[in-house]
Amino acid sequence: MLRGFATVNLFADDLAAARDWYTELLGVQPYFEVPGPDGRPAYVEFRVGDYQHELGIVRGAFGPHGPGAGAAGPSGVVLYWAVDDVAATLERLFELGAKEHQGVVDRGGNGFVTASVVDPFGNVLGIMTNPHYMEVLGARG
């Protein structure tokens, strides 16, 4: 059911500043950027490490917690597991007692679909279909 880590998402209200900071830290430019409706960055993604893991940064207003959520509720990292079928995996997680955190979201019609739950212990667990994950998996043979 859970194939492997797909993407780790961080959240930042000033995404442009976060993008620049992580570019400096990681020593690489983001390889993927999505503008928001206002033209400012809404999402940036880096490939890092030996297995080209994805580190995404989401503008806070587009995250599941909304802008400035750090002081008002859960915040921080959501680790997304790659799955073959988001709906079926979500159903199974609900059967096991997880509660919805963010419902199914199609991230632009390009094969990226996410959802997240809160497990019975209070942890946020993300799931997603992710074409980039499948590309890396395919390249490994």
Side-chain angles (χ1 to χ4, degrees), residues 6-7 26-32 44-56 112 130-137 139:
T7 302
L26 300 170
V28 297
Q29 295 287 326
Y31 79 97
F32 185 67
V44 298
E45 191 168 270
F46 299 87
R47 286 225 173 138
V48 297
D50 295 332
Y51 293 100
Q52 300 285 299
H53 293 297
E54 296 176 1
L55 172 63
F112 297 92
N130 181 319
H132 293 162
Y133 181 89
M134 298 309 290
E135 286 172 19
V136 171
L137 187 63

Side-chain angles (χ1 to χ4, degrees), residues 103-129:
V104 176
V105 178
D106 184 319
R107 303 288 180 181
N110 51 11
F112 297 92
V113 178
T114 66
S116 59
V117 299
V118 178
D119 73 13
F121 315 101
N123 301 296
V124 177
L125 172 68
I127 57 174
M128 78 183 305
T129 56

Side-chain angles (χ1 to χ4, degrees), residues 58-83:
V58 180
R59 187 174 356 144
F62 297 108
H65 314 297
S75 185
V77 172
V78 175
L79 179 104
Y80 288 92
W81 287 85
V83 299

